[in-house]
Structures are given as structure tokens and as C-alpha cells.
Amino acid sequence: MCSHQPPCPTADSPLHHGAVIVSSHPEQGWSLLCNGTIVFDDTGELLPDGRVVDPHRALGPLAVAA
């Protein structure tokens, strides 16, 4: 899918988030990367082979009531 140089990381690469955004839809909360991965604002992903990656954002520290 990637046609520019240097080529973007493939969807199965650990660095796949470094691929170029080819279509962005912030109003809907997702973007398509040139390696075929769809990334969502909640940090979830849909890989080109249909696998789903659950959101993996880091949670902030829990507030403790004093």
C-alpha cells in the first residue's frame, strides 16, 4: 500500500504507528495509515488482516481521597 520512499513500516512491524496517515477522519475518531492499519482516537486499532488491537492508552494515577 505504501508507495513513497523510504517505505513505511508494515502493519505487523512493532513500529507500525510510524506509517503516514493517508486519510484522517477526526470527526469520526479514526485515521487510515498507508500500511492499511486503522487507528482510533481511543488508541485501539484495526489491522489489515482483520485483527483488533484493544485500546492501550496509559491510565493516569488514581486519585486518593484524603
Side-chain angles (χ1 to χ4, degrees):
M1 192 172 213
C2 181
S3 61
H4 53 271
Q5 294 297 325
C8 289
T10 61
D12 57 353
S13 165
L15 302 174
H16 68 273
H17 289 107
V20 173
I21 295 173
V22 294
S23 183
S24 179
H25 298 275
E27 72 284 356
Q28 296 176 353
W30 63 275
S31 296
L32 173 64
L33 304 181
C34 72
N35 61 13
T37 301
I38 297 173
V39 293
F40 297 95
D41 288 351
D42 70 354
T43 69
E45 303 171 15
L46 180 59
L47 301 177
D49 63 4
R51 288 181 294 148
V52 174
V53 178
D54 290 331
H56 49 275
R57 63 178 165 232
L59 298 176
L62 296 176
V64 178

